[in-house]
Amino acid sequence: MNESRALCQVDDIPDFGAISVRIESSTGGFEIILMREGDEVFGYHNECPHQGRNLDYVPGKFLTKDGRIICAAHGATFTIKTGERVSGPCNSGLLRVPVRVVDGQVFSA
Ligand code: FES
């Protein structure tokens, strides 16, 4: 059974900003990035495709600017809406984690 879980409130995420949340699973769980643009929220694994590091500069704190998130390790840049790579030393984008918004709450899909 695939159970949807509430991850946070939309308002917990700064507009055009990002937070991290942990998804628990039977294999120990993993951390995802939630990014917001207005009423839309986008989820991605917190793992840079360059060297597999987390994108945050300290746990849960991310560099964002002009609708993009920037990896704190070597500066790879990705769009908030699609996770596509814009610039930097990797060849691919962020791995999407489907989420949905219902009544101001963010759920794993
Ligand atoms: S690990 Fe993200 S740019 Fe190198």
Side-chain angles (χ1 to χ4, degrees):
M1 181 175 157
N2 193 5
E3 188 177 314
S4 185
R5 300 175 195 173
L7 302 172
C8 68
Q9 301 287 321
V10 172
D11 288 342
D12 294 335
I13 311 166
D15 202 10
F16 292 96
I19 65 170
S20 65
V21 296
R22 185 156 183 84
I23 303 270
E24 298 302 333
S25 74
S26 59
T27 56
F30 54 94
E31 190 174 288
I32 67 169
I33 306 168
L34 293 176
M35 294 191 272
R36 174 183 173 193
E37 279 193 20
D39 293 333
E40 294 184 285
V41 176
F42 307 91
Y44 302 96
H45 281 272
N46 187 6
E47 183 177 333
C48 182
H50 178 221
Q51 289 185 344
R53 299 189 193 186
N54 291 349
L55 279 82
D56 34 359
Y57 58 92
V58 295
K61 301 288 185 187
F62 297 90
L63 302 169
T64 57
K65 185 177 181 185
D66 300 332
R68 296 173 180 175
I69 185 166
I70 304 153
C71 178
H74 309 108
T77 304
F78 309 90
T79 66
I80 287 177
K81 279 196 168 187
T82 67
E84 284 180 275
R85 175 195 168 273
V86 176
S87 63
C90 51
N91 296 317
S92 58
L94 301 176
L95 185 60
R96 190 80 175 253
V97 177
V99 297
R100 61 193 172 91
V101 174
V102 179
D103 296 332
Q105 273 198 306
V106 183
F107 291 87
S108 58

